[in-house]
Amino acid sequence: MSDALSRRGFFAAFSTPFARKVEAVPQPVARPAAGSAEAKVAVVQGRFCLALTSFCSVCIERCPVPGAMKKERGVPMVVADVCTGCGVCREVCPAPRNAVLMLPRRPSTRRHSV
Amino acid sequence: MMQRREFNKMLALAAASAAVRANAQSPARVAPAPAGDGIAWDKAPCRFCGTGCHVRVGVKNGRVVAIEGDQLADVNKGLLCVKGYHVGLALYGKDRLTQPLLRRNGVLEPISWEEAIETIAQKVMAAPAQFAIYGSGQWTIPEGYAANKFIKGGLSSNHIDPNARLCMASAVTGFLSVYGVDEPAGCYDDLDKCDVLLMWGNNMAEMHPVLFSRVIDRRTRGEKVTLIDLGTRRTRTTEFCDHYLEFRPNSDLAIMNGIAHLLIKKNTFDPKFVEKFCNFRQAPKDPAASPAAPLLGDPMSFAEYKAALEPYTPEHVEKLSGVPAEKIRLLGDLFANKDIRITSTWCMGFNQHTRGTNANRLCHGIHLLSGHFGRPGDAPTSLTGQPSACGTAREVGTLCHFLPGGRLILNAEHRKETEKLWNLPEGRINPKIGHHTVLMWEKFCTPADKGGDIRTLWVQVTNPGQSLPNLNKLFKAKAGQPEKFLIVSDVYRTATTELADLVLPSAMWVEKNGMYGNSERRTQQWFRMVKPPGDARDDAWQMIAVARKLHDLGHAGMKDKDGRFLFALKNDKGEEVPVWEWPRYYDINVDKVLFEEYRAFSRYKHKDLAPYDVYVKSRGLRWPVVQQPDGTWRETKFRFSEFDDPYVKKGAEIQFYHSVTKDDKALIWFAPAERAPEEPDAEFPFWLCTGRVLEHWHTGSMTRRVPQLHAAMPHAYVEMHPEDARERGFANGETIVVKTRRGELKLPVWVDGRGHPPRGSLFIPFFDERLMCNDLTIDAVDPISKEPDYKKCAATVARAAATP
Ligand code: SF4
Ligand code: SF4
Ligand code: SF4
């Protein structure tokens, strides 16, 4: 899919003034280095997630980073390597007990690239 | 695209989630309240959709502080959807209306209730015949009953219609013309028993989520149920379906004819069932012959029926609908198989259709023709959108041509019975049917000297300023006509209060006593648990107070034939209580008194209701509710079937005891495939469909004020196929203009979003009051049900910048 049709633009438009031009859509900010004070990663707690017993797809729809979330057995999962820790998924989660946890990102032995 | 993959994942989920669920704390138990924390719990049906889940409402210090799914409720067994979990917050938007407001010099200014009631009474008194009530499938049963009695019994006028005209009217005319009596024969239990579930233009995962959970849960338990989605765009529901049959808008009629064609051609219909239980019907040659002619139709023989279906070969149906012939054969084979049980469900996909009545008829028809009827799991069942479309609009008969309990304005006998039950002088009820919704608003928006014969219109519990079709014509045209007076009873400011001359603050949901009736004939009851904010008051009180004011002003219609006030309600000791005085309103349970009065109407069409107190103890009961020899009350799950319905004669097996043809048989209708009223052309090349989303309930006046729901779905959008977007160079999220012959709307385009319309097709949800898609929709209606078609019209799109 062409870049213009990526999921990024749509959700940025949602959270910004209505008639905003597409060029002005902010790109996701670079994430803080792992292990730094602000570095976070999202985790979906399946047992609180509405997708488990009912229907919900809001976090996946609204996550601004392509590939940071995927569905695993119908329930959303965060791909930690891709997640920037922006927290959108937690903000929009409508579950009665918020199903998204923002955890401090610990330097991982597996991800030497960061 | 992805539905196959997703579907496989769901099967995987089936294996995994049973275990998860066993251990998991279900979201149904939100912050479980420890004992002794001062929270008082009571039951109520959910305020939102027609599914009719029950919630437990926790109240502390006069506020609703907790909501749980009700484990004791058959409908939802403790489960809720995302809206239901937050239903309590619908009460606590920051801008609740708390005092009556009158528009003076263009500004809504606070006035007292006395002034407000006096103002309405004066307006009605000045021209009673030009006064109309526009009500709701969210009215409680007693509210609708009070309004109906007030206008039909008191003002001798039938200008009352509920918003259910916009959603269930075609289902009503469908049921009436097939079975002679409204509402589904089956119930939700069919969803637990069917082998195949056909969803006709029905996005159950978003619109009736708890029902769909019930179905998906069967897979979780390892049961096999085949799900088939028939629709005009891929939805969340499609992801779970085994088959997705995408058809050209309006061609559902052709598909159903194709199924009937195959059943007959291959001789796989059920001749015994048809012989014993069915007659055939077609549209009358002269629909104007009598008002009932379109509902009764003309008889046709089986041979004629067969001949009429002759052209609908799978190949021809493929040409009309775009659904591959082999898929039509697949449907034909399913209906041919008597060893499986088939349930069909539908909602607005059929009903909001200029051939909505016919779509309903044909669906009943394929079930009857194939004998897939009357066994648990074998049922054609409509689902309602509103929590009491059935209970209040249809059963109480708040439509302009109905009287309570399934009676008709046009039937002299029915008027007489109603007059008797209301103790009115003979001839009080006007024999002329009133204006249906679209006509009512058209007349209200038309100047008096041009034939606009409605001057004062009172809206309760609904938001027509957003939900009517073609708003510029049917609502916004009211602006600038000072002789037109719009009264709105609501809980928040809405698109409708924008043009209101008088705004009345209402109590909502558990701020008042109430009763609802859900999609499966289930009558539900709840008590007031908290006080309404400020000076907000019950809708039924408002109606009764105006009636009393008219009584005091000398309006003769406000008295029965013995000179008693229409709403002279008594307490247990037999003393009259002046309930029109607000401080006295809760001296008695007005709901109970009105319901007991209304209950007398329910027997005629075998919609028997139990006494009020029986509902107090239950999580709703499905009518007919019949008293047993031991004094208990028994509900009916499967109507017309001997094994369950007490009104079916012993040995009859199936009996349609309200048969149109008076021979206990149902009618199988033939109706041709027809074109939509407006189709894409060179100038307007897209189909435009409108509808709902999971997070918001209808026009969003409640759910958009719930922070969690608003955050989850903050904004309307237009869904479009990626190729269509790419061709025009639209970026995802770019604001574009959608235009029809009636109006235009700027909104962001969403490609590969939640729904996936096919090429040449757009979808816009209607919840967002800032972006009202009904500026675009047509006001063409089904000629029989008078229900508008929100699901298809012709539109075009352009870059926002390119338009001036
Ligand atoms: S934190 Fe941001 S990037 Fe990570 S999953 Fe949530 S929305 Fe996506
Ligand atoms: S938004 Fe929350 S409830 Fe919805 S799918 Fe994501 S984690 Fe689950
Ligand atoms: S499915 Fe309908 S009735 Fe049930 S909780 Fe959701 S909105 Fe309420």
mmCIF file of all heavy atoms in Angstrom, chain B residues 101-103 108 123 132 134 441 444 455-459 464-465 475 478 481-489 495-504:
data_model
loop_
_atom_site.group_PDB
_atom_site.id
_atom_site.type_symbol
_atom_site.label_atom_id
_atom_site.label_comp_id
_atom_site.label_asym_id
_atom_site.label_seq_id
_atom_site.Cartn_x
_atom_site.Cartn_y
_atom_site.Cartn_z
ATOM 1 N N LEU B 101 -36.296 25.378 29.370
ATOM 2 C CA LEU B 101 -35.740 26.534 28.658
ATOM 3 C C LEU B 101 -36.696 26.948 27.553
ATOM 4 O O LEU B 101 -37.166 26.106 26.788
ATOM 5 C CB LEU B 101 -34.389 26.170 28.031
ATOM 6 C CG LEU B 101 -33.290 25.623 28.964
ATOM 7 C CD1 LEU B 101 -32.149 25.023 28.147
ATOM 8 C CD2 LEU B 101 -32.770 26.721 29.889
ATOM 9 N N LEU B 102 -36.956 28.225 27.476
ATOM 10 C CA LEU B 102 -37.831 28.748 26.419
ATOM 11 C C LEU B 102 -37.017 29.689 25.536
ATOM 12 O O LEU B 102 -36.235 30.491 26.046
ATOM 13 C CB LEU B 102 -39.008 29.502 27.044
ATOM 14 C CG LEU B 102 -40.056 30.072 26.061
ATOM 15 C CD1 LEU B 102 -40.845 28.947 25.387
ATOM 16 C CD2 LEU B 102 -41.008 31.018 26.782
ATOM 17 N N ARG B 103 -37.216 29.568 24.224
ATOM 18 C CA ARG B 103 -36.454 30.435 23.332
ATOM 19 C C ARG B 103 -37.113 31.804 23.257
ATOM 20 O O ARG B 103 -38.285 31.929 22.904
ATOM 21 C CB ARG B 103 -36.338 29.812 21.934
ATOM 22 C CG ARG B 103 -35.243 30.460 21.085
ATOM 23 C CD ARG B 103 -35.055 29.745 19.750
ATOM 24 N NE ARG B 103 -34.581 28.368 19.865
ATOM 25 C CZ ARG B 103 -33.302 28.024 20.034
ATOM 26 N NH1 ARG B 103 -32.374 28.947 20.106
ATOM 27 N NH2 ARG B 103 -32.964 26.758 20.114
ATOM 28 N N LEU B 108 -32.221 30.405 24.299
ATOM 29 C CA LEU B 108 -32.945 29.558 25.250
ATOM 30 C C LEU B 108 -32.710 30.093 26.664
ATOM 31 O O LEU B 108 -31.569 30.147 27.134
ATOM 32 C CB LEU B 108 -32.474 28.106 25.133
ATOM 33 C CG LEU B 108 -32.926 27.352 23.885
ATOM 34 C CD1 LEU B 108 -32.227 25.994 23.783
ATOM 35 C CD2 LEU B 108 -34.445 27.157 23.852
ATOM 36 N N LYS B 123 -50.518 26.138 23.469
ATOM 37 C CA LYS B 123 -50.253 25.806 22.055
ATOM 38 C C LYS B 123 -51.208 24.710 21.575
ATOM 39 O O LYS B 123 -51.737 24.779 20.470
ATOM 40 C CB LYS B 123 -48.802 25.312 21.883
ATOM 41 C CG LYS B 123 -47.767 26.382 22.056
ATOM 42 C CD LYS B 123 -47.634 27.223 20.800
ATOM 43 C CE LYS B 123 -46.689 28.391 21.051
ATOM 44 N NZ LYS B 123 -46.742 29.402 19.977
ATOM 45 N N ALA B 132 -48.684 17.514 17.209
ATOM 46 C CA ALA B 132 -48.230 16.134 16.987
ATOM 47 C C ALA B 132 -47.191 15.750 18.030
ATOM 48 O O ALA B 132 -46.526 16.619 18.607
ATOM 49 C CB ALA B 132 -47.636 15.985 15.590
ATOM 50 N N TYR B 134 -43.838 13.254 18.537
ATOM 51 C CA TYR B 134 -42.852 12.385 17.920
ATOM 52 C C TYR B 134 -42.093 11.669 19.037
ATOM 53 O O TYR B 134 -41.343 12.284 19.784
ATOM 54 C CB TYR B 134 -41.899 13.199 17.037
ATOM 55 C CG TYR B 134 -40.909 12.330 16.304
ATOM 56 C CD1 TYR B 134 -41.349 11.371 15.393
ATOM 57 C CD2 TYR B 134 -39.548 12.446 16.521
ATOM 58 C CE1 TYR B 134 -40.448 10.566 14.726
ATOM 59 C CE2 TYR B 134 -38.636 11.643 15.857
ATOM 60 C CZ TYR B 134 -39.094 10.707 14.957
ATOM 61 O OH TYR B 134 -38.199 9.899 14.300
ATOM 62 N N TRP B 441 -42.844 15.316 9.747
ATOM 63 C CA TRP B 441 -41.784 16.329 9.717
ATOM 64 C C TRP B 441 -41.857 17.190 8.471
ATOM 65 O O TRP B 441 -41.528 18.372 8.505
ATOM 66 C CB TRP B 441 -40.417 15.667 9.881
ATOM 67 C CG TRP B 441 -40.207 15.238 11.294
ATOM 68 C CD1 TRP B 441 -40.434 13.995 11.814
ATOM 69 C CD2 TRP B 441 -39.812 16.068 12.398
ATOM 70 N NE1 TRP B 441 -40.192 14.003 13.172
ATOM 71 C CE2 TRP B 441 -39.797 15.265 13.549
ATOM 72 C CE3 TRP B 441 -39.463 17.412 12.513
ATOM 73 C CZ2 TRP B 441 -39.456 15.763 14.805
ATOM 74 C CZ3 TRP B 441 -39.101 17.905 13.755
ATOM 75 C CH2 TRP B 441 -39.108 17.087 14.886
ATOM 76 N N PHE B 444 -44.484 19.604 9.276
ATOM 77 C CA PHE B 444 -44.021 20.563 10.281
ATOM 78 C C PHE B 444 -43.091 21.593 9.645
ATOM 79 O O PHE B 444 -43.081 22.764 10.031
ATOM 80 C CB PHE B 444 -43.315 19.819 11.413
ATOM 81 C CG PHE B 444 -42.868 20.716 12.536
ATOM 82 C CD1 PHE B 444 -43.790 21.443 13.285
ATOM 83 C CD2 PHE B 444 -41.522 20.845 12.858
ATOM 84 C CE1 PHE B 444 -43.379 22.278 14.322
ATOM 85 C CE2 PHE B 444 -41.103 21.668 13.895
ATOM 86 C CZ PHE B 444 -42.033 22.387 14.627
ATOM 87 N N ARG B 455 -48.340 22.320 13.474
ATOM 88 C CA ARG B 455 -47.806 23.585 13.951
ATOM 89 C C ARG B 455 -46.944 23.416 15.194
ATOM 90 O O ARG B 455 -45.950 24.092 15.373
ATOM 91 C CB ARG B 455 -48.983 24.505 14.283
ATOM 92 C CG ARG B 455 -48.939 25.780 13.490
ATOM 93 C CD ARG B 455 -50.277 26.445 13.498
ATOM 94 N NE ARG B 455 -50.428 27.308 14.660
ATOM 95 C CZ ARG B 455 -51.516 28.051 14.846
ATOM 96 N NH1 ARG B 455 -52.514 27.995 13.981
ATOM 97 N NH2 ARG B 455 -51.604 28.825 15.900
ATOM 98 N N THR B 456 -47.398 22.530 16.062
ATOM 99 C CA THR B 456 -46.664 22.306 17.305
ATOM 100 C C THR B 456 -46.271 20.841 17.362
ATOM 101 O O THR B 456 -47.115 19.966 17.149
ATOM 102 C CB THR B 456 -47.548 22.660 18.514
ATOM 103 O OG1 THR B 456 -47.908 24.033 18.406
ATOM 104 C CG2 THR B 456 -46.807 22.422 19.815
ATOM 105 N N LEU B 457 -44.991 20.588 17.622
ATOM 106 C CA LEU B 457 -44.530 19.212 17.626
ATOM 107 C C LEU B 457 -43.729 18.976 18.904
ATOM 108 O O LEU B 457 -42.835 19.753 19.235
ATOM 109 C CB LEU B 457 -43.643 18.988 16.386
ATOM 110 C CG LEU B 457 -43.655 17.609 15.740
ATOM 111 C CD1 LEU B 457 -42.961 17.652 14.398
ATOM 112 C CD2 LEU B 457 -43.078 16.544 16.591
ATOM 113 N N TRP B 458 -44.094 17.907 19.617
ATOM 114 C CA TRP B 458 -43.422 17.596 20.882
ATOM 115 C C TRP B 458 -42.611 16.326 20.691
ATOM 116 O O TRP B 458 -43.165 15.261 20.403
ATOM 117 C CB TRP B 458 -44.475 17.408 21.983
ATOM 118 C CG TRP B 458 -43.898 17.254 23.368
ATOM 119 C CD1 TRP B 458 -42.587 17.173 23.736
ATOM 120 C CD2 TRP B 458 -44.659 17.166 24.581
ATOM 121 N NE1 TRP B 458 -42.470 17.055 25.097
ATOM 122 C CE2 TRP B 458 -43.730 17.044 25.650
ATOM 123 C CE3 TRP B 458 -46.030 17.182 24.877
ATOM 124 C CZ2 TRP B 458 -44.134 16.933 26.978
ATOM 125 C CZ3 TRP B 458 -46.433 17.070 26.195
ATOM 126 C CH2 TRP B 458 -45.486 16.944 27.245
ATOM 127 N N VAL B 459 -41.291 16.449 20.847
ATOM 128 C CA VAL B 459 -40.377 15.327 20.689
ATOM 129 C C VAL B 459 -39.963 14.834 22.064
ATOM 130 O O VAL B 459 -39.562 15.627 22.914
ATOM 131 C CB VAL B 459 -39.104 15.781 19.925
ATOM 132 C CG1 VAL B 459 -38.104 14.636 19.825
ATOM 133 C CG2 VAL B 459 -39.467 16.312 18.550
ATOM 134 N N PRO B 464 -34.348 13.664 16.416
ATOM 135 C CA PRO B 464 -34.614 13.691 14.970
ATOM 136 C C PRO B 464 -33.762 14.694 14.212
ATOM 137 O O PRO B 464 -33.535 14.522 13.020
ATOM 138 C CB PRO B 464 -36.100 14.072 14.887
ATOM 139 C CG PRO B 464 -36.399 14.753 16.191
ATOM 140 C CD PRO B 464 -35.528 14.074 17.195
ATOM 141 N N GLY B 465 -33.265 15.729 14.898
ATOM 142 C CA GLY B 465 -32.421 16.722 14.229
ATOM 143 C C GLY B 465 -31.133 16.116 13.682
ATOM 144 O O GLY B 465 -30.416 16.734 12.908
ATOM 145 N N PHE B 475 -35.896 18.639 8.596
ATOM 146 C CA PHE B 475 -35.708 19.232 9.921
ATOM 147 C C PHE B 475 -35.248 20.680 9.862
ATOM 148 O O PHE B 475 -35.895 21.571 10.404
ATOM 149 C CB PHE B 475 -34.716 18.399 10.743
ATOM 150 C CG PHE B 475 -34.557 18.911 12.146
ATOM 151 C CD1 PHE B 475 -35.556 18.707 13.086
ATOM 152 C CD2 PHE B 475 -33.442 19.653 12.528
ATOM 153 C CE1 PHE B 475 -35.445 19.205 14.368
ATOM 154 C CE2 PHE B 475 -33.324 20.152 13.818
ATOM 155 C CZ PHE B 475 -34.323 19.925 14.735
ATOM 156 N N LYS B 478 -37.270 23.956 9.318
ATOM 157 C CA LYS B 478 -38.104 24.550 10.370
ATOM 158 C C LYS B 478 -37.597 25.942 10.744
ATOM 159 O O LYS B 478 -38.377 26.828 11.135
ATOM 160 C CB LYS B 478 -38.084 23.631 11.594
ATOM 161 C CG LYS B 478 -39.016 24.037 12.710
ATOM 162 C CD LYS B 478 -38.315 24.813 13.820
ATOM 163 C CE LYS B 478 -39.302 25.340 14.842
ATOM 164 N NZ LYS B 478 -38.738 26.428 15.638
ATOM 165 N N GLN B 481 -39.325 29.829 10.771
ATOM 166 C CA GLN B 481 -40.796 29.780 10.659
ATOM 167 C C GLN B 481 -41.381 29.970 12.057
ATOM 168 O O GLN B 481 -41.637 28.995 12.763
ATOM 169 C CB GLN B 481 -41.257 28.451 10.073
ATOM 170 C CG GLN B 481 -40.742 28.181 8.673
ATOM 171 C CD GLN B 481 -41.454 27.009 8.026
ATOM 172 O OE1 GLN B 481 -42.682 26.964 7.989
ATOM 173 N NE2 GLN B 481 -40.712 26.046 7.540
ATOM 174 N N PRO B 482 -41.592 31.212 12.466
ATOM 175 C CA PRO B 482 -41.963 31.479 13.858
ATOM 176 C C PRO B 482 -43.296 30.857 14.271
ATOM 177 O O PRO B 482 -43.515 30.635 15.464
ATOM 178 C CB PRO B 482 -42.027 33.016 13.921
ATOM 179 C CG PRO B 482 -42.053 33.486 12.513
ATOM 180 C CD PRO B 482 -41.437 32.427 11.660
ATOM 181 N N GLU B 483 -44.157 30.543 13.321
ATOM 182 C CA GLU B 483 -45.442 29.952 13.722
ATOM 183 C C GLU B 483 -45.297 28.468 14.088
ATOM 184 O O GLU B 483 -46.196 27.867 14.656
ATOM 185 C CB GLU B 483 -46.518 30.169 12.646
ATOM 186 C CG GLU B 483 -46.406 29.301 11.396
ATOM 187 C CD GLU B 483 -45.334 29.763 10.414
ATOM 188 O OE1 GLU B 483 -44.580 30.705 10.734
ATOM 189 O OE2 GLU B 483 -45.244 29.167 9.329
ATOM 190 N N LYS B 484 -44.142 27.896 13.756
ATOM 191 C CA LYS B 484 -43.911 26.485 14.098
ATOM 192 C C LYS B 484 -43.246 26.419 15.469
ATOM 193 O O LYS B 484 -42.284 27.148 15.723
ATOM 194 C CB LYS B 484 -43.002 25.839 13.050
ATOM 195 C CG LYS B 484 -43.550 25.927 11.631
ATOM 196 C CD LYS B 484 -44.674 24.952 11.390
ATOM 197 C CE LYS B 484 -45.159 25.020 9.954
ATOM 198 N NZ LYS B 484 -46.135 23.984 9.629
ATOM 199 N N PHE B 485 -43.766 25.547 16.327
ATOM 200 C CA PHE B 485 -43.277 25.499 17.708
ATOM 201 C C PHE B 485 -42.780 24.096 18.022
ATOM 202 O O PHE B 485 -43.543 23.128 17.995
ATOM 203 C CB PHE B 485 -44.411 25.905 18.655
ATOM 204 C CG PHE B 485 -43.937 26.236 20.047
ATOM 205 C CD1 PHE B 485 -43.373 27.472 20.327
ATOM 206 C CD2 PHE B 485 -44.061 25.315 21.075
ATOM 207 C CE1 PHE B 485 -42.926 27.790 21.610
ATOM 208 C CE2 PHE B 485 -43.625 25.619 22.364
ATOM 209 C CZ PHE B 485 -43.060 26.863 22.638
ATOM 210 N N LEU B 486 -41.491 23.991 18.312
ATOM 211 C CA LEU B 486 -40.880 22.684 18.565
ATOM 212 C C LEU B 486 -40.562 22.520 20.049
ATOM 213 O O LEU B 486 -39.837 23.333 20.629
ATOM 214 C CB LEU B 486 -39.598 22.543 17.728
ATOM 215 C CG LEU B 486 -38.834 21.209 17.866
ATOM 216 C CD1 LEU B 486 -39.691 20.032 17.410
ATOM 217 C CD2 LEU B 486 -37.540 21.254 17.050
ATOM 218 N N ILE B 487 -41.122 21.478 20.645
ATOM 219 C CA ILE B 487 -40.890 21.176 22.059
ATOM 220 C C ILE B 487 -40.019 19.922 22.121
ATOM 221 O O ILE B 487 -40.306 18.930 21.428
ATOM 222 C CB ILE B 487 -42.228 20.881 22.771
ATOM 223 C CG1 ILE B 487 -43.211 22.044 22.550
ATOM 224 C CG2 ILE B 487 -42.011 20.607 24.257
ATOM 225 C CD1 ILE B 487 -44.663 21.644 22.737
ATOM 226 N N VAL B 488 -38.976 19.945 22.915
ATOM 227 C CA VAL B 488 -38.081 18.790 22.998
ATOM 228 C C VAL B 488 -37.842 18.415 24.461
ATOM 229 O O VAL B 488 -37.341 19.216 25.240
ATOM 230 C CB VAL B 488 -36.718 19.085 22.318
ATOM 231 C CG1 VAL B 488 -35.803 17.875 22.425
ATOM 232 C CG2 VAL B 488 -36.923 19.463 20.857
ATOM 233 N N SER B 489 -38.206 17.195 24.816
ATOM 234 C CA SER B 489 -37.871 16.658 26.140
ATOM 235 C C SER B 489 -36.635 15.800 25.981
ATOM 236 O O SER B 489 -36.652 14.800 25.259
ATOM 237 C CB SER B 489 -39.004 15.764 26.665
ATOM 238 O OG SER B 489 -40.200 16.483 26.751
ATOM 239 N N ALA B 495 -28.737 17.990 18.494
ATOM 240 C CA ALA B 495 -29.017 18.678 17.235
ATOM 241 C C ALA B 495 -30.479 19.108 17.192
ATOM 242 O O ALA B 495 -30.833 20.093 16.534
ATOM 243 C CB ALA B 495 -28.698 17.757 16.064
ATOM 244 N N THR B 496 -31.338 18.396 17.889
ATOM 245 C CA THR B 496 -32.764 18.727 17.880
ATOM 246 C C THR B 496 -33.045 19.954 18.748
ATOM 247 O O THR B 496 -33.841 20.817 18.357
ATOM 248 C CB THR B 496 -33.596 17.527 18.371
ATOM 249 O OG1 THR B 496 -33.168 16.368 17.674
ATOM 250 C CG2 THR B 496 -35.075 17.748 18.128
ATOM 251 N N THR B 497 -32.404 20.044 19.911
ATOM 252 C CA THR B 497 -32.666 21.216 20.755
ATOM 253 C C THR B 497 -32.148 22.497 20.091
ATOM 254 O O THR B 497 -32.592 23.585 20.430
ATOM 255 C CB THR B 497 -32.032 21.078 22.161
ATOM 256 O OG1 THR B 497 -30.621 20.989 22.032
ATOM 257 C CG2 THR B 497 -32.549 19.856 22.894
ATOM 258 N N GLU B 498 -31.241 22.365 19.139
ATOM 259 C CA GLU B 498 -30.756 23.544 18.404
ATOM 260 C C GLU B 498 -31.909 24.360 17.821
ATOM 261 O O GLU B 498 -31.834 25.576 17.752
ATOM 262 C CB GLU B 498 -29.863 23.097 17.227
ATOM 263 C CG GLU B 498 -28.506 22.593 17.630
ATOM 264 C CD GLU B 498 -27.619 23.689 18.171
ATOM 265 O OE1 GLU B 498 -27.310 24.608 17.402
ATOM 266 O OE2 GLU B 498 -27.266 23.629 19.372
ATOM 267 N N LEU B 499 -32.940 23.673 17.370
ATOM 268 C CA LEU B 499 -34.062 24.391 16.768
ATOM 269 C C LEU B 499 -35.290 24.406 17.680
ATOM 270 O O LEU B 499 -36.349 24.869 17.278
ATOM 271 C CB LEU B 499 -34.440 23.761 15.412
ATOM 272 C CG LEU B 499 -33.469 23.970 14.247
ATOM 273 C CD1 LEU B 499 -34.086 23.461 12.943
ATOM 274 C CD2 LEU B 499 -33.083 25.438 14.086
ATOM 275 N N ALA B 500 -35.135 23.915 18.902
ATOM 276 C CA ALA B 500 -36.304 23.831 19.784
ATOM 277 C C ALA B 500 -36.705 25.205 20.294
ATOM 278 O O ALA B 500 -35.868 26.074 20.526
ATOM 279 C CB ALA B 500 -35.983 22.915 20.959
ATOM 280 N N ASP B 501 -38.011 25.375 20.476
ATOM 281 C CA ASP B 501 -38.520 26.603 21.077
ATOM 282 C C ASP B 501 -38.692 26.425 22.575
ATOM 283 O O ASP B 501 -38.657 27.391 23.328
ATOM 284 C CB ASP B 501 -39.852 26.964 20.419
ATOM 285 C CG ASP B 501 -39.674 27.194 18.935
ATOM 286 O OD1 ASP B 501 -39.110 28.232 18.562
ATOM 287 O OD2 ASP B 501 -40.052 26.300 18.136
ATOM 288 N N LEU B 502 -38.934 25.170 22.973
ATOM 289 C CA LEU B 502 -39.072 24.878 24.393
ATOM 290 C C LEU B 502 -38.328 23.574 24.673
ATOM 291 O O LEU B 502 -38.545 22.571 23.985
ATOM 292 C CB LEU B 502 -40.561 24.733 24.742
ATOM 293 C CG LEU B 502 -40.911 24.384 26.188
ATOM 294 C CD1 LEU B 502 -40.447 25.457 27.153
ATOM 295 C CD2 LEU B 502 -42.424 24.180 26.329
ATOM 296 N N VAL B 503 -37.438 23.610 25.635
ATOM 297 C CA VAL B 503 -36.663 22.414 25.977
ATOM 298 C C VAL B 503 -37.044 21.992 27.393
ATOM 299 O O VAL B 503 -37.005 22.804 28.318
ATOM 300 C CB VAL B 503 -35.143 22.690 25.891
ATOM 301 C CG1 VAL B 503 -34.356 21.474 26.353
ATOM 302 C CG2 VAL B 503 -34.749 23.075 24.471
ATOM 303 N N LEU B 504 -37.417 20.728 27.545
ATOM 304 C CA LEU B 504 -37.796 20.220 28.867
ATOM 305 C C LEU B 504 -36.744 19.217 29.345
ATOM 306 O O LEU B 504 -36.406 18.277 28.617
ATOM 307 C CB LEU B 504 -39.167 19.533 28.792
ATOM 308 C CG LEU B 504 -40.302 20.399 28.252
ATOM 309 C CD1 LEU B 504 -41.576 19.569 28.113
ATOM 310 C CD2 LEU B 504 -40.545 21.596 29.153
#
